Amino acid sequence: MPVKLRLWILAFGFITNAYAQDLTIRGKITDGLGATLPGVNVTVKGTQKGAVSDGDGNYQLTAVPNNATLVFSFIGYLKQEIDVKNRTVIDASLQADVKALNEVVVVGYGTQRKLETTGSIASIKAADLVQTPISNVAQGLQARVSGVQITQNSSAPGGNISVRIRGTNSINGSSEPLYVVDGIQISNGGGVNELSPLSQINPNDIESVEVLKDASAAAIYGARAANGVVLITTKRGKAGVTRVTYESYYGSQEVTKRASVMNATEFATLENEVYKTNVYADPASLGQGTDFQSLIFRKAQIQNHQLTIAGGSEKTQLSLALNYFNQDGVIINSNFSRYSLRLNLDHQINKWLKTGTSLLYTYLTNDRIPTGSNSIDGPAVTSSILGAALGAPPTMQPYREDGSVLPFGDQFNGRYREAANPLGLAQILNKTTTSRLLGNIYFDFALAKGLTYRANLNLIQSNSLTDTYSPRSIVGAGDLAAGAGSAGKTNSNGINILHESLLTYATRIGELHSLKFTGVFATQKQMSNSNSISASKFPNDATVNEAVQLATDRTVSSSRSADRLDSYMGRINYGFKDKYFVDVTARFDGASKFGENHKYGFFPAVSAAWRVIEEPFMKGQNLFSDLKLRASYGITGNAAAIGAYNSLALVGSGSDYSFNHIYTTGIAPTGIPNPDLRWEKSTQANIGLDVSLLNNRIGLVVDVYNKRTQDLLFVKSLPLSSGYGTITGNFASLENKGIEIAANAAILSGELKWNVSGNITFNRNKLLSLEGATKEYAVNNFSVLQVGQPLGIFKTYIFDGLYQTGESILPGSDSRLGGHKVRDVNGDGAISAADQVVTGNANPNFIFGFSTDLRYKNFDFSAFFSGVQGNKVYNLIRYTFENPLGGRNLYQAVVNHWTPTNANNEYASVLQGGRLPLSDRFMEDGSFVRCKNITLGYTLPKIKGLQNARIYVSANNLFTLTNYSGFDPEVNTYGNSNTIIGVDNLVYPVAKSYLVGLQVSF
C-alpha cells in the first residue's frame, strides 16, 4: 500500500475516533417520588454547554465528550453531578432540598422549624432590611411584610414613625407593636417631632426580624401583644475563621418637591388689594424678591460606617461591631448622629452549662428644628420653619449686612412682626443627647436529655439631656421689651429590669410524635424620673442655656414613676409525622398599673396546622412542593394603653394663691380612682394558607383574620356634681378584619438569576361601641369618632364653589362675595355644625410592596417599590396658604383669586384677617406608588487577602407617583395618634438620596 494512502487512512481513522468520543445524550429527570421535573438546568461541567428539561422532564445534549460530567440543578432540589462514562442515556432523580422547610425561625421564647409554625409569622432577611439607608429598623420593614402598615410621620433625621400591625387597635392607648431585641423588650411612640426610640438600634447589627401577627404567635407576650410583636435578633459569632467586615456608604440628599409661592411683585400687588391702600408704591419694581425655601433647604450628607469582627471556636463565639451613622437633614441645622457598640459573646463552659451576653450601647445626638403644627391659626403655622418659609413676605430681607439673621419686626416699620423669619427659627437650639444601654446575660443549663433551663437578666438603661434656647437675636427690637430669650434643660433617666426563667422540654415519641413544652416566669420593673428647668428674659445670648440663673423668670418641675409586671406563661407544641401540628399557649399577667379589681389578666391561644402535602393523595403530583393550612384563635392584651397610676386617685399642683402677699402653690385632686381599670383585650381569629409551587419556584402565603378589641380606654364625661370633669375607663370597642397576601417567585435560576416578591394587604377598621358619648365624639375641628365608622375619618363641610355676584350668602357661611360656599346639607337655610358630614377616610383601601432583583455573573441589580391606595389626606397647608387674608405669602396660584372682574370657583376673594371654612376642598387623594430604592452592585473578582469585595450605587425615594399636591402624601402631623391620622400641616418633607457604598470582608 502506498505510503500516501496509508497516511490518509490513519488521518481518517483518527478523525473518526475523535468524533466518536463526542456523544448525544438524552434522558429524563424526575424527583424522588418519580414525578417528572420540567425546567431543570443540565450543563456540562466546566463549559457553557447546557440544556433545560421540557414539560415531560426530558432533555437532550449534543457533542458531549465521553469523559464529561453532567450537572443537574433546580431550585428547591439538591444539585446532582453524574459522570457520562460513554453513556448516551442518562436519567437523573433529584432529591428535594428540605433546607427551606427545616429553616429555623425565631418565635417568642424559642425557635421552631419553619414547617412547624402554626401562627402567622413573617420573616425578613437582614440584607433586605438595610437595602435602603435607614436610621431605624421599622423603616426597613416598610412594604416588605403583609399586614404591616408603616408611616414615616416626619422625614426629619431619626424622625417619628408609626407602625400598625393589622390595623389600629386602640383609641387613647398605644397601637405600636412590642419590639423584642435579643429578649429585651422596648416600645416605640412619641410626637411627630420626637426622635423614634427605634433609631437607637443600629439596623446593620440585625441578623433577622420576625413579625408575630396573629394571637397564636403573639399570645406568649400576653398583656403587651395586642398590637403584634416584632422579634429582632442581632448577629452572633460562629465557630470558624474570624472574619472582619467593613461596610460603608456615603451620599447626598435633597428635597423631592418645593411649593410654588408668590414672588415679591405678586405678593405686593395682593397686599395692596387686601388692605385697599398702597402698602407698596411700585410692586412691579420688586421683581422676584427673596426665595426663603432656597435658604432653608439644602443638599445634605448622609454616611454610615461599620466595622464587624466575628468568629470563634467550638466553645466560644464572639461578634463585635462598631458603627457610626450621621444624617444631615435637608432643612438647615437639623441632624441625627449615632455611635454604637455591640458585643455578643457565647461560651460553652461544659457539657451542661452555657453562658453568654448581648450588649448594645448607643450614643445619639439629635438636632431638631421646629416643624409641624397642630393649629390652623396663622401665628402658630408660621412657628413651623416650613410654614414660615412659605409665608415669609418675599419683600423681606433674610440677613443683615454682617450676615446675622434680620427679624421681620426690624423691617418695613414692623409691619410683618407677626411673621417669623424662617432663618431665625433655624437658630433655635433644640438638641437631645441620649446614651442607652441594652444588656442581656443568660445561663443555659442542660438538666437532662431534652430538658433545659435558661435564666435571662435583661436591662435597659437610658439617660437623655434636652437643651433648648430661643435667642434674643431672632426677635425684633420692638418685642425685646416684653422679654426675649428663653431656655430649658431637661434630664430624663429610665431603667427597665426584666428577669425571665425558661424551662423547656423537647422530645420525640417514636418516629411519629414530637412534643415540646415551654414554661416561663418573668418579672419586670420599669422606673423613670425627670427634672427640668425653664427660663426666659435673658439679658443677652452669650451663655445660651448654660446659665439659666441669669434669666428673670424661672420655673422647675420634676417627676418620678414606677410600675411592675409579673407573668406566668406556658406553651405546648405537638407534631405528628411532620403533618399535623397543634400549639397551645397561655399567659397570666399581673400589673401594678391595673385597677384593684383587675390586677391579673389571662391570655390564652390555640393554633393548628395541617401539611396537606404529606397526605398520600398528594403523592405523584408535581405542581405543589408544599401545602399547609393554618388556623388560630386567641386573646392578647394592651397594657401599654394604661399609665402607671391611671387607676388611682391622683393629686397635683393647682393654682397659685396669695396669703399675706406670699404666693403659695396649692394641691388639688386631678384624677378620680377607677378600681376596674384593666388592659385592652383583643380577640383574634386567623386562617392561613402556605403554598409552594413548581418545585419551590413560587411561594404564596395568604392569611384572613378578624380581630375584635374590647375594653378600650376612653375618657368619659362625668356630671359636674362629681367634682371631676372626666374619668378614664374601658368604655369602647373596635374591630379590624382583613386579608394579607404575600408571594415570591424565582423566575430565572441559571447564569441570570431573577427573583421577584410582593405583598398586598386589605384591612377594614370599625368602631363598634363608644360608651359615655353619643354615637359620635369630636376629636378636633375636622376629625371625629363615630360608631360604625373607622378611626381616622374626617367630618367637614362640603365645598360648593365660591359665592358669585347676585347670590345670597347664607347665615353662618363665609360672609363675602367670592368667599367659600359650603353645602346646606340639612336645608335649614343656614350653615352650622349640623351641615358637617363624613367626607373622607384616612385609612387606605390597601397597601402593597414589590421588589425585584437580578444577578448576572458579578453584577446585581435590585429595585423596591411601596404603595398605598385609597386613603385621604387633609391638606391643612392649602387651608393656610390659599387664604388671601394679608400679612403672609401664599401659593402662587392664588394670584388667580376671585375678583368682580375675575369670577371663578377656585380661590377666594381677599378679606383682611378672614377665615375659610373647614371643608372637603382641602381633602385630597393620598394614594401613591414610590420607588423606595434602586441599587446596582458589582462584586470584584477574587483579590488575595479578601474574602469578598462589593461596590454599589443606590438611589432612594427616587420618584413618587401621586396626585397629592403637598410635599409628600406619606405624612401625619399628629405622630402616633390613633384618632387623627392623614393630616398634613407643615411636617418635615421627604428627601431623595444618592449613595455609593462599599462592602469588604477579610
Side-chain angles (χ1 to χ4, degrees), residues 45-92:
K45 189 174 182 179
T47 73
Q48 300 295 317
K49 186 183 294 294
V52 177
S53 61
D54 61 20
D56 296 321
N58 297 314
Y59 75 94
Q60 178 175 311
L61 284 169
T62 58
V64 180
N66 62 8
N67 61 347
T69 298
L70 301 187
V71 180
F72 300 82
S73 61
F74 192 54
I75 292 177
Y77 289 81
L78 298 173
K79 183 185 294 185
Q80 186 176 10
E81 296 186 1
I82 301 177
D83 294 332
V84 173
K85 294 183 178 178
N86 215 28
R87 290 177 291 174
T88 58
V89 177
I90 299 178
D91 296 329

Side-chain angles (χ1 to χ4, degrees), residues 577 579-580 611-621:
K577 295 176 65 175
K579 184 191 301 185
Y580 307 110
R611 292 191 65 231
V612 184
I613 194 69
E614 293 294 331
E615 295 293 346
F617 61 80
M618 295 295 292
K619 305 303 180 184
Q621 58 82 35

